[in-house]
């Protein structure tokens, strides 16, 4: 019984890590597209929300927050894409988010079904 409990914990931690890495990856890509790829344009997410005036840790936390709200397709509305490229990126992230969360929820259901008995 203890072996099943350890396997359950391992699989749940793996899911959380997978979701965290996906969020980090998309947050960094989002930040790069907004700040570097469209350099010279001031009508981007980066400049609209004055990220050029914030500390690096604030930029990272906000980018991760925005990436997670995009992935979960919640979109709280406090941060939003400004340029056309950012809007396309947001749509792609939301479509990826639907797939990622579907996979995660399916695996959580399977774990619970198998090990919660």
């Amino acid at each position: 019984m203890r072996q099943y409990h350890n396997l359950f914990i391992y699989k749940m931690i793996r899911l959380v890590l997978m979701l965290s890495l996906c969020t980090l990856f998309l947050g960094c890509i989002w930040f790069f597209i907004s700040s570097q790829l469209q350099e010279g344009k001031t009508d981007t997410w980066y400049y609209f929300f004055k990220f050029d005036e914030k500390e690096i840790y604030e930029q990272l936390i906000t980018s991760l927050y925005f990436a997670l709200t995009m992935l979960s397709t919640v979109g709280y509305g406090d941060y939003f894409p400004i340029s056309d490229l950012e809007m396309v990126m947001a749509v792609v992230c939301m479509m990826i988010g639907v797939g990622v969360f579907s996979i995660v929820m399916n695996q959580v259901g399977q774990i619970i079904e198998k090990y919660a008995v």
Side-chain angles (χ1 to χ4, degrees), residues 42-56:
T42 56
D43 61 337
T44 66
W45 183 77
Y46 183 78
Y47 293 106
F48 183 82
F49 293 109
K50 299 182 181 8
F51 276 83
D52 52 338
E53 300 171 5
K54 294 184 179 183
E55 296 291 326
I56 190 72

Side-chain angles (χ1 to χ4, degrees), residues 73-92:
T73 66
V74 172
Y76 289 112
D78 47 354
Y79 293 104
F80 49 88
I82 305 295
S83 71
D84 292 338
L85 181 59
E86 291 170 345
M87 288 182 197
V88 169
M89 172 74 177
V91 168
V92 169

Side-chain angles (χ1 to χ4, degrees), residues 94-107:
M94 287 180 213
M95 290 164 62
I96 290 170
V98 169
V100 167
F101 276 102
S102 297
I103 290 168
V104 167
M105 293 313 294
N106 181 34
Q107 289 183 356

Side-chain angles (χ1 to χ4, degrees), residues 11-20 104 107-108 111:
K11 286 188 175 192
M12 292 302 287
I13 290 172
R14 191 178 70 182
L15 284 174
V16 169
L17 286 175
M18 181 184 79
L19 187 59
S20 298
V104 167
Q107 289 183 356
V108 167
I111 290 169

